Amino acid sequence: MAVMRYSEALRLAMTEEMERDDSVFICGEEVGQYQGTYRVTEGMLSKFGPRRVVDTPISEIGIAGMATGAAMAGLRPIAEFMTWSFALEAMDALVNHAAKITYMSGGRISCPVVFRGPAGVGTQLSAQHSQSLESWFAHTPGFKVVLPSTPEDAKGLLKTAIRDPNPVIFMENAGIYGQRGEVPEDTDFMIPFGQAAVRTEGSDITLISYSNMVLKCLKAAEALEKDGIHCEVIDLRTLVPLDMDTVVKSIQKTHRAVVAHEEWKNVGFGAELASRIYEQAFDYMDAPIERVGGADVPMPYAKNLERAAIPTDLDIIAAVKRALA
Amino acid sequence: MAVMRYSEALRLAMTEEMERDDSVFICGEEVGQYQGTYRVTEGMLSKFGPRRVVDTPISEIGIAGMATGAAMAGLRPIAEFMTWSFALEAMDALVNHAAKITYMSGGRISCPVVFRGPAGVGTQLSAQHSQSLESWFAHTPGFKVVLPSTPEDAKGLLKTAIRDPNPVIFMENAGIYGQRGEVPEDTDFMIPFGQAAVRTEGSDITLISYSNMVLKCLKAAEALEKDGIHCEVIDLRTLVPLDMDTVVKSIQKTHRAVVAHEEWKNVGFGAELASRIYEQAFDYMDAPIERVGGADVPMPYAKNLERAAIPTDLDIIAAVKRALA
Amino acid sequence: MAKTAVKEKSPSDIGLDTLLGHYKTMVLIRRFEESTYRKFREGKMGGYLHRYDGQEALVTALIPQLELPGDKILCTYRDHAHALLCGTSPRAIMAELMGRATGCALGKGGSMHLIDPDNGFLGGDGIVGGPVPISLGVGWALKYKNTKNVCVCYFGDGAMNQGGVHESFNMVGLYKLPVLYILENNQYAMGTSVSRSTGQPDFVKKAEAHGIAGERVDGMDFFTMWDAAKRALARIRETGEAYFLQVDCYRFVGHGVGDDNTQGWKFYRTEGEVHEWMKKDPIVKLGAYLKDAGVLPDELAEKIDQEAIAVVDDAVAFAEASPEPPLDSLYENVYS
Amino acid sequence: MAKTAVKEKSPSDIGLDTLLGHYKTMVLIRRFEESTYRKFREGKMGGYLHRYDGQEALVTALIPQLELPGDKILCTYRDHAHALLCGTSPRAIMAELMGRATGCALGKGGSMHLIDPDNGFLGGDGIVGGPVPISLGVGWALKYKNTKNVCVCYFGDGAMNQGGVHESFNMVGLYKLPVLYILENNQYAMGTSVSRSTGQPDFVKKAEAHGIAGERVDGMDFFTMWDAAKRALARIRETGEAYFLQVDCYRFVGHGVGDDNTQGWKFYRTEGEVHEWMKKDPIVKLGAYLKDAGVLPDELAEKIDQEAIAVVDDAVAFAEASPEPPLDSLYENVYS
Ligand SMILES: Cc1ncc(C[n+]2csc(CCOP(=O)(O)OP(=O)(O)O)c2C)c(N)n1
Ligand SMILES: Cc1ncc(C[n+]2csc(CCOP(=O)(O)OP(=O)(O)O)c2C)c(N)n1
Ligand SMILES: [Mg+2]
Ligand SMILES: [Mg+2]
């Protein structure tokens, strides 16, 4: 185990996989000479050279197409979006090509590609840079959708993503790139998709979340513990595949739930989660599931408005109290 | 009242609004000389000329930008996507521009634009042409999202859309373009957004749906009526704004619900609807809400597989029976 | 005299025998397409159906020059001929068009998504411009793996107006990738003529603007197309850099079965225009050349035609006798 | 001698007085940008901050020639100078940068989304290439309404690699719309130089490929820029057709406050290169000319500078004293 930042864990995962397998390469805007917009790929160009660390023009369709086509031709590309908001430019390449080629070909083509990059809000980047599109991707069959919340998961899940034979949507959170944690150094350390992690056990209510929001749930749980409220915090880690077993087992114990994410609440992933919980554990529910999500507005620039638009641990606490009322 | 097809009702709405207001024009692929891919704009070029009925190259970003920019500069464009699947090309223009400019400008710019075109499945168009993206758009604040199910609604809602000062996502369904119905000839006939229609009253269960799926719900309701099961069928008509009052009132009476749509079930609009029903009427629910939706696979080509992927009235009937079991 | 003509017009490396083979292929394509139309109208197929009638030389004078499966092919939804040329069996193609389990994509893709990776054919694509970003990645992979292979990417004149095409051209130009672009300039994108869809109709300039050299070629003439393809491929294999061919041609039928049926094509082109182009039918032209050269007497021409029809009929019979995909395959192949 | 110089180098229609005014504007822009950087580092602003230092002539030698608000302006996130030139008050701009209720977008837009429709300024845009599709629509509307107005659309060299830009160029070329494109070719897109981002670096060819004529201009020289803009605008008003200016220039600072702070710009350019370009500082150059011409003695230069600083200080004071937007405005303006 070594202690490192979330962003360093990502770099370690990519570095290990690139050392292991020559067919892995990374492409994207400013991933090379500039050392990565968020320094995730720092040093990788000088280590691997321009064949394997490829700076691209500002051409998201091109990037997505390059990665998808290369995957169809047998490589294992990692394409970085500078932020996920810019993936809006490439939706056709992603959704109508990467996600479907395997199905359309009757399984004759595999498309082992990882699309990764930061999502996340909180530094006043305003409306156009604050999209977190995981619900769109989770809605689209053909993708796996992964959102790690810790350095350890960042490494373990990214390695699984790179070795997965399918297109993987890998969303990091810029707000936690600097977060430190223990990370296994084993080069075969991988975390399987579809296994949620129970971050804290508790008996009164289940908080279900992913990415950055898990940390806010843990903070809320800590505060609530002092009031004698025992929260079970579940980190989904992957939205597709989704580990409902862990969720349902917890609900059968707690009978109450809060689902939480930073992205817009309306038609967000929380809605799916709540619906599935009711479908699979209706008789256990003692209170309506509370959803916590981002305000349904384009992200405002002003600090105070932005703060009001992003859900916090306090919003989770309030939701828990409503659910227990 | 006149009896006409759904597609004719759309044409009538556009024609009336273009006659009323010179700032309304239509642009899109094959809307003019070719008379519209689905003949929705048939005859309009010769009536209004190339200034107001504009054939475009196959450039969805250009089309979306043209309409958005023209709206920002004071016109009232109607942009047609040949099918909504091709809107994938234009997501940035739609989501990061049209939907946000009003908010980002602090309300100083209005963007009165209608994006319309067919969605819908069932004629073996296979994976890339079978997207129905309403859940994506409903997720994105700044859009209104409209899906008419009858010729009358097609006219009344499209006229409201054209006069609305905001970007409106107007999704037609190719499967019902030929459907006939009574349509008011009054040139000021409009249907306000945010008012669901109760298509059939019933006391046992509420079926909630929109677009083509409403017709399947009505068919299911008719069949179930023979078994003595009285369904209330609600047509949402607009997903944003959403008329939860009508839904909740019905649920308070029936205590059971099926939500249904053709698009992929996973993270579809049905999840949002179910979640909101629980949030607003938890204590009334006697059984889990049943969701009916498209199979979570890219649309297959083969007729039998396609049929299996698209939800039918029989699926609704089965869902009703489960909910009543 | 015939011999002289061969010397004059035919590249020296195509023997008359081989040429006869290419002629057969073109006849097969034509008969295949005609039959798909009939089968569509009989209700044996669904979705869209886009025929290649008139454009046969674009594939027949190029794909045989490739080294498949090392070289790769991408194309549009107008893809039956490409599949045939790559070596996909007519049976597997016809079965795919009828949505059968024996189709080259197990019935899941249909007409727009024929595919056969074992033969280097990475598929048709239902999205206008769609294959071009993919070609960038395929070209990248070919270079990355240090092969001498080429990716050939076909797309339509309408696709030149797709942004993704320009992004990809630029990156292919920047990275110097071994891609041969074939612009199937059949003059129309559905109902929109080239002059109604572009601010500047010289497509070669559009490629050059991104650093991809190119030229304009008459795609109605087999030899011209063959020579251009040959030079282009040699150049790409030598330099490793992309090349662009604007191939002028014409589709004799409607955009798809839709405007074939309804004669909707009359909205955007005249019968006179169609007939003018039909005079340049590449099959008739090559046939006349072979006849002149003394190797295609009428009886042989007739025989070749009958053989083509027999191949197509066999494919149809095979497809019709094939089972639909099993219902439980609905959820298969979403993931690898 | 000075007079001769004026005749030689200055377009006859700019009197020295007016020229002095433009010089003042450029000084104001520079001082404004410097101050935003300080305020950002003080934590008074968030998000990104993109400065225009070095590129002042691109707005100052063009926007005063427009007929605002009938003419329209669109630009990138590097938009403070554009707003100033359109006549947005420095107070409203600074307040927007600080996210205050008195900002030109009520604090909702921030640095990348300055906007002022009353003055014809339709806004900055955070998306690379984003303004170009919008310019197509604005140009369409200007023509549709039968005005003689022009839409001026600024965008960066990096944006030339966005597909939407090409789709829009083609449509603007096809429909012949009154748009003036200003390619702010400051040599870099973040850390990527032009030569590392394009397969073909002559941007004029990229515009011409879509039927938009254009030329290359030295944007470090006020007069060259003025003349080019003047000719271009006259041409557009006369023909109704778009025109393209590739304006070569340089940003003296980092891409954004991020690489300013960290000296991240050293990853992609040398200090030597920056200093070479700084020698061409358009403000210094115009200042020298005016000094030569006898109208800008040192004391006046100093006074102009002090006045600029005073305007900026006033804007800062105003912004700092302004309230944050009310919390309940969070849900306002989602819809009109
Ligand atoms: C992005 C996108 N927009 C629109 C369509 C609908 N469409 C299918 S084919 C076609 C015309 C394409 O013309 P061209 O590229 O010239 O190819 P051709 O059909 O002539 O071979 C259109 C508009 C589509 N499939 N994809
Ligand atoms: C579509 C998109 N991709 C990436 C970015 C991130 N980004 C912001 S500015 C920039 C560089 C743009 O360079 P250029 O167009 O030359 O303009 P400049 O900043 O030099 O004025 C990048 C990559 C973005 N905002 N939008
Ligand atoms: Mg064509
Ligand atoms: Mg630049």
Side-chain angles (χ1 to χ4, degrees):
Chain A
M1 290 280 197
V3 172
M4 65 183 75
R5 294 204 172 85
Y6 184 97
S7 60
E8 289 165 337
L10 295 168
R11 189 186 313 139
L12 181 60
M14 291 190 282
T15 303
E16 286 178 6
E17 293 305 300
M18 285 174 71
E19 280 168 345
R20 191 184 59 82
D21 180 355
D22 182 67
S23 68
V24 180
F25 72 98
I26 173 158
C27 61
E29 294 158 20
E30 308 297 359
V31 296
Q33 193 175 318
Y34 196 81
Q35 309 301 319
T37 306
Y38 290 89
R39 299 283 177 273
V40 174
T41 54
E42 189 170 352
M44 290 183 72
L45 173 62
S46 60
K47 188 174 186 90
F48 293 104
R51 172 172 169 267
R52 303 189 64 197
V53 179
V54 189
D55 278 324
T56 68
I58 310 173
S59 304
E60 283 80 8
I61 307 176
I63 294 166
M66 175 170 175
T68 302
M72 288 169 61
L75 301 184
R76 292 190 169 263
I78 305 168
E80 175 174 310
F81 288 116
M82 196 179 275
T83 84
W84 272 100
S85 284
F86 308 146
L88 281 173
E89 308 276 358
M91 279 298 155
D92 178 77
L94 296 172
V95 169
N96 250 347
H97 289 86
K100 293 185 180 151
I101 185 65
T102 299
Y103 197 82
M104 293 191 300
S105 69
R108 294 185 69 189
I109 293 233
S110 289
C111 192
V113 50
V114 179
F115 299 102
R116 53 157 290 274
V121 288
T123 56
Q124 290 185 263
L125 298 185
S126 67
Q128 292 178 322
H129 287 62
S130 299
Q131 250 95 203
S132 173
L133 301 163
E134 68 266 23
S135 64
W136 287 22
F137 291 112
H139 182 52
T140 308
F143 288 127
K144 302 197 175 173
V145 181
V146 183
L147 297 103
S149 75
T150 70
E152 176 171 349
D153 281 15
K155 181 183 176 193
L157 291 168
L158 185 50
K159 285 173 70 88
T160 304
I162 295 169
R163 297 194 200 178
D164 195 282
N166 295 290
V168 177
I169 301 292
F170 194 95
M171 287 194 180
E172 302 151 13
N173 188 297
I176 56 177
Y177 272 144
Q179 207 88 30
R180 288 163 175 284
E182 300 257 317
V183 175
E185 282 166 300
D186 177 0
T187 58
D188 275 322
F189 167 69
M190 290 170 61
I191 297 177
F193 290 170
Q195 293 193 2
V198 178
R199 297 295 182 196
T200 311
E201 296 194 17
S203 49
D204 295 328
I205 188 164
T206 307
L207 314 185
I208 310 154
S209 176
Y210 52 86
S211 191
N212 194 17
M213 203 68 182
V214 173
L215 309 185
K216 299 185 193 174
C217 284
L218 288 169
K219 200 166 162 201
E222 219 180 287
L224 288 161
E225 193 67 37
K226 288 181 196 137
D227 296 351
I229 299 170
H230 310 296
C231 302
E232 182 140 312
V233 176
I234 295 180
D235 181 350
L236 292 175
R237 304 207 280 202
T238 63
L239 307 189
V240 181
L242 181 63
D243 178 5
M244 280 304 292
D245 285 354
T246 300
V247 171
V248 169
K249 228 171 79 191
S250 176
I251 300 276
Q252 287 171 340
K253 178 170 67 175
T254 63
H255 301 208
R256 288 178 158 82
V258 172
V259 301
H261 49 64
E262 282 189 346
E263 77 158 346
W264 293 310
K265 182 174 160 191
N266 193 34
V267 206
F269 194 79
E272 178 65 27
L273 206 50
S275 298
R276 291 217 203 178
I277 293 171
Y278 286 118
E279 281 161 6
Q280 297 179 31
F282 184 78
D283 292 334
Y284 291 93
M285 298 310 300
D286 287 349
I289 297 167
E290 293 286 332
R291 285 189 291 161
V292 173
D296 290 312
V297 303
M299 188 60 75
Y301 168 75
K303 190 76 213 154
N304 66 328
L305 296 183
E306 187 190 46
R307 211 178 277 132
I310 303 173
T312 64
D313 53 322
L314 299 181
D315 295 312
I316 298 164
I317 291 173
V320 167
K321 296 208 164 148
R322 282 196 305 274
L324 290 170
Chain B
M1 288 281 196
V3 172
M4 66 182 75
R5 294 205 173 85
Y6 184 98
S7 60
E8 290 165 337
L10 294 168
R11 189 187 313 138
L12 181 61
M14 290 190 283
T15 302
E16 285 177 7
E17 292 306 300
M18 285 175 70
E19 279 168 343
R20 191 183 60 80
D21 180 355
D22 182 68
S23 69
V24 180
F25 72 99
I26 172 157
C27 61
E29 295 158 20
E30 307 297 359
V31 296
Q33 193 176 318
Y34 195 81
Q35 310 301 319
T37 305
Y38 290 88
R39 299 283 179 272
V40 174
T41 53
E42 189 171 351
M44 291 183 71
L45 174 61
S46 60
K47 188 175 183 94
F48 293 105
R51 172 171 170 267
R52 303 189 62 197
V53 178
V54 189
D55 278 324
T56 67
I58 310 173
S59 303
E60 284 79 10
I61 307 176
I63 294 166
M66 176 169 174
T68 303
M72 287 169 62
L75 301 184
R76 291 188 170 265
I78 305 169
E80 175 175 311
F81 288 115
M82 195 179 276
T83 84
W84 272 100
S85 284
F86 308 145
L88 280 173
E89 308 277 358
M91 279 299 155
D92 178 78
L94 295 173
V95 169
N96 251 347
H97 289 86
K100 293 186 180 152
I101 184 64
T102 299
Y103 196 83
M104 292 190 302
S105 69
R108 293 186 69 188
I109 293 234
S110 288
C111 192
V113 51
V114 179
F115 299 102
R116 53 157 288 275
V121 288
T123 57
Q124 291 185 260
L125 298 185
S126 68
Q128 291 177 324
H129 287 63
S130 300
Q131 251 96 201
S132 174
L133 302 164
E134 68 266 23
S135 64
W136 287 22
F137 291 114
H139 182 53
T140 308
F143 287 126
K144 301 197 175 174
V145 181
V146 183
L147 297 104
S149 74
T150 70
E152 175 170 350
D153 281 15
K155 180 182 176 193
L157 291 168
L158 185 49
K159 285 173 69 88
T160 305
I162 294 169
R163 298 195 202 177
D164 196 282
N166 296 290
V168 177
I169 301 293
F170 193 94
M171 287 194 181
E172 302 150 14
N173 187 297
I176 55 176
Y177 272 144
Q179 206 88 31
R180 287 164 175 285
E182 300 255 318
V183 175
E185 283 167 299
D186 177 1
T187 58
D188 274 324
F189 167 68
M190 291 169 59
I191 297 177
F193 289 169
Q195 293 193 1
V198 178
R199 298 293 181 196
T200 313
E201 295 195 16
S203 49
D204 295 328
I205 188 164
T206 307
L207 314 186
I208 309 153
S209 178
Y210 51 87
S211 191
N212 194 17
M213 204 68 181
V214 174
L215 309 185
K216 299 184 193 175
C217 285
L218 288 169
K219 202 167 160 200
E222 220 180 285
L224 288 161
E225 192 68 38
K226 289 180 195 138
D227 295 351
I229 299 170
H230 310 296
C231 302
E232 181 139 312
V233 176
I234 294 179
D235 181 349
L236 291 175
R237 303 206 283 203
T238 64
L239 306 189
V240 180
L242 181 63
D243 177 6
M244 280 304 292
D245 285 354
T246 300
V247 172
V248 169
K249 229 170 80 189
S250 176
I251 301 274
Q252 287 171 341
K253 180 170 66 173
T254 63
H255 299 212
R256 287 177 160 84
V258 172
V259 300
H261 50 62
E262 283 189 345
E263 77 158 348
W264 293 309
K265 183 174 160 189
N266 194 33
V267 206
F269 193 77
E272 177 65 26
L273 206 51
S275 298
R276 290 218 204 176
I277 293 171
Y278 286 118
E279 282 161 6
Q280 298 180 31
F282 183 78
D283 292 334
Y284 292 92
M285 299 310 302
D286 286 349
I289 298 168
E290 292 287 331
R291 285 190 289 161
V292 173
D296 289 311
V297 303
M299 188 60 76
Y301 168 75
K303 189 76 213 157
N304 66 327
L305 295 183
E306 189 192 44
R307 211 178 276 133
I310 303 173
T312 64
D313 53 324
L314 300 181
D315 295 312
I316 297 165
I317 292 172
V320 167
K321 295 206 164 148
R322 284 195 304 273
L324 291 169
Chain C
M1 190 217 132
K3 292 269 158 177
T4 326
V6 176
K7 279 230 177 74
E8 258 173 41
K9 291 162 65 191
S10 164
S12 51
D13 69 345
I14 320 187
L16 284 175
D17 262 20
T18 315
L19 214 45
L20 215 50
H22 297 318
Y23 174 79
K24 281 184 196 172
T25 304
M26 296 212 288
V27 172
L28 176 65
I29 295 172
R30 184 70 57 88
R31 291 303 188 200
F32 192 94
E33 294 297 49
E34 287 165 357
S35 133
T36 63
Y37 181 63
R38 284 192 303 275
K39 290 293 144 187
F40 191 101
R41 298 205 65 179
E42 283 173 23
K44 295 272 162 68
M45 301 171 184
Y48 296 134
L49 185 86
H50 310 90
R51 295 162 59 180
Y52 213 60
D53 311 45
Q55 303 180 215
E56 292 87 352
L58 278 71
V59 289
T60 316
L62 193 161
I63 299 181
Q65 302 192 52
L66 296 178
E67 292 158 21
L68 302 175
D71 291 341
K72 305 294 176 196
I73 300 261
L74 294 162
C75 67
T76 75
Y77 42 83
R78 199 179 294 288
D79 58 358
H80 313 163
H82 305 70
L84 283 170
L85 262 291
C86 287
T88 312
S89 88
R91 288 179 161 198
I93 300 172
M94 195 62 85
E96 188 61 36
L97 300 187
M98 295 195 193
R100 305 304 167 114
T102 52
C104 60
L106 310 190
K108 282 182 167 152
S111 164
M112 299 194 287
H113 304 291
L114 299 179
I115 195 159
D116 191 0
D118 298 342
N119 282 313
F121 181 38
L122 297 185
D125 193 326
I127 296 301
V128 169
V132 180
I134 303 299
S135 74
L136 153 63
V138 174
W140 177 268
L142 296 178
K143 179 171 179 176
Y144 189 94
K145 295 189 215 159
N146 205 15
T147 69
K148 278 276 161 217
N149 285 118
V150 173
C151 173
V152 181
C153 179
Y154 287 86
F155 63 105
D157 47 286
M160 279 298 324
N161 306 315
Q162 278 284 315
V165 169
H166 290 271
E167 292 192 9
S168 306
F169 272 20
N170 183 56
M171 289 169 75
V172 164
L174 176 68
Y175 298 136
K176 305 198 188 308
L177 303 181
V179 184
L180 174 55
Y181 287 109
I182 304 293
L183 178 71
E184 297 169 314
N185 180 22
N186 60 10
Q187 318 298 326
Y188 291 90
M190 281 186 69
T192 306
S193 65
V194 167
S195 65
R196 294 207 303 129
S197 72
T198 178
Q200 192 285 111
D202 180 346
F203 294 118
V204 175
K205 283 204 182 130
K206 297 194 195 243
E208 285 171 351
H210 301 297
I212 299 179
E215 69 193 80
R216 192 169 171 175
V217 179
D218 175 8
M220 304 306 279
D221 184 69
F222 183 89
F223 297 119
T224 311
M225 183 66 208
W226 181 280
D227 290 349
K230 188 176 169 184
R231 282 194 314 271
L233 288 166
R235 181 186 160 125
I236 296 169
R237 288 197 214 275
E238 197 192 303
T239 64
E241 294 187 24
Y243 199 71
F244 174 89
L245 295 180
Q246 169 183 341
V247 187
D248 297 319
C249 56
Y250 202 75
R251 60 169 157 74
F252 291 166
V253 295
H255 166 72
V257 75
D259 63 335
D260 272 347
N261 276 342
T262 59
Q263 305 233 313
W265 55 266
K266 289 192 180 161
F267 284 125
Y268 58 89
R269 61 189 198 181
T270 63
E271 272 178 278
E273 178 185 302
V274 178
H275 287 138
E276 275 313 303
W277 277 93
M278 279 186 165
K279 288 186 195 155
K280 304 186 208 162
D281 189 326
I283 302 183
V284 174
K285 203 167 170 191
L286 183 60
Y289 172 83
L290 291 169
K291 201 172 168 179
D292 265 12
V295 293
L296 187 64
D298 286 352
E299 319 78 72
L300 180 58
E302 180 58 26
K303 185 164 162 261
I304 286 174
D305 198 36
Q306 290 307 323
E307 279 172 8
I309 290 170
V311 169
V312 173
D313 286 349
D314 168 74
V316 167
F318 171 83
E320 290 185 347
S322 291
E324 291 187 317
L327 270 185
D328 56 14
S329 73
L330 178 63
Y331 288 95
E332 287 166 11
N333 309 129
V334 179
Y335 297 99
S336 284
Chain D
M1 190 216 134
K3 291 269 160 182
T4 325
V6 174
K7 277 229 176 79
E8 257 172 38
K9 291 162 60 191
S10 164
S12 50
D13 69 345
I14 320 186
L16 283 176
D17 261 20
T18 315
L19 214 45
L20 214 51
H22 298 318
Y23 174 80
K24 280 185 196 171
T25 304
M26 295 212 287
V27 172
L28 175 64
I29 296 172
R30 184 70 56 88
R31 290 304 187 201
F32 192 92
E33 294 297 49
E34 288 165 357
S35 131
T36 63
Y37 181 65
R38 284 193 302 274
K39 289 294 145 188
F40 191 102
R41 299 206 64 179
E42 282 173 25
K44 296 274 162 66
M45 298 170 186
Y48 296 134
L49 186 85
H50 310 90
R51 294 163 59 179
Y52 213 61
D53 312 44
Q55 304 181 213
E56 292 86 353
L58 278 70
V59 289
T60 316
L62 192 162
I63 299 181
Q65 302 192 53
L66 295 178
E67 290 158 22
L68 302 176
D71 291 340
K72 305 293 176 197
I73 300 262
L74 294 161
C75 67
T76 76
Y77 43 82
R78 200 179 295 287
D79 59 358
H80 313 162
H82 305 70
L84 283 171
L85 262 292
C86 287
T88 312
S89 89
R91 287 179 164 199
I93 300 172
M94 195 62 85
E96 188 61 36
L97 301 187
M98 294 195 193
R100 305 303 168 114
T102 51
C104 60
L106 310 189
K108 282 184 168 151
S111 163
M112 299 195 285
H113 303 292
L114 299 179
I115 196 160
D116 191 0
D118 299 341
N119 283 313
F121 181 40
L122 297 185
D125 193 327
I127 296 302
V128 169
V132 180
I134 303 298
S135 74
L136 153 61
V138 173
W140 178 268
L142 296 178
K143 180 172 178 175
Y144 190 95
K145 294 190 212 157
N146 205 16
T147 69
K148 277 277 160 220
N149 286 118
V150 173
C151 173
V152 181
C153 178
Y154 288 85
F155 63 105
D157 47 287
M160 279 299 321
N161 306 315
Q162 278 283 315
V165 169
H166 289 272
E167 292 193 8
S168 307
F169 272 20
N170 183 56
M171 289 171 74
V172 164
L174 177 67
Y175 299 137
K176 304 196 187 309
L177 303 181
V179 184
L180 175 56
Y181 287 108
I182 303 294
L183 177 71
E184 297 169 315
N185 180 21
N186 60 11
Q187 318 297 327
Y188 291 90
M190 284 186 65
T192 307
S193 66
V194 167
S195 66
R196 292 206 307 126
S197 72
T198 179
Q200 192 284 113
D202 181 345
F203 294 118
V204 175
K205 284 204 181 127
K206 296 193 194 244
E208 286 171 349
H210 300 296
I212 300 179
E215 69 193 81
R216 192 167 170 175
V217 179
D218 175 8
M220 304 307 279
D221 183 70
F222 183 90
F223 297 119
T224 310
M225 183 67 208
W226 181 280
D227 290 349
K230 188 175 171 187
R231 281 193 316 273
L233 288 166
R235 181 186 159 124
I236 296 170
R237 288 198 214 275
E238 198 192 302
T239 64
E241 293 186 25
Y243 200 72
F244 173 89
L245 295 180
Q246 169 182 340
V247 187
D248 297 319
C249 56
Y250 202 77
R251 60 169 159 73
F252 291 167
V253 296
H255 166 72
V257 76
D259 63 335
D260 272 347
N261 276 342
T262 60
Q263 306 234 312
W265 56 266
K266 289 191 181 164
F267 284 123
Y268 58 87
R269 60 188 200 182
T270 63
E271 272 178 279
E273 178 184 303
V274 177
H275 287 141
E276 274 314 302
W277 277 94
M278 280 187 164
K279 288 185 193 154
K280 303 187 207 164
D281 189 326
I283 302 183
V284 174
K285 203 167 169 191
L286 183 60
Y289 173 83
L290 291 169
K291 200 171 169 180
D292 263 13
V295 293
L296 187 64
D298 287 352
E299 319 78 72
L300 181 56
E302 180 58 27
K303 183 161 164 267
I304 287 173
D305 199 36
Q306 289 309 322
E307 278 170 8
I309 290 170
V311 169
V312 174
D313 286 350
D314 168 73
V316 167
F318 171 82
E320 291 185 348
S322 292
E324 291 187 317
L327 270 186
D328 55 15
S329 74
L330 177 64
Y331 288 96
E332 288 166 10
N333 309 129
V334 179
Y335 297 99
S336 284

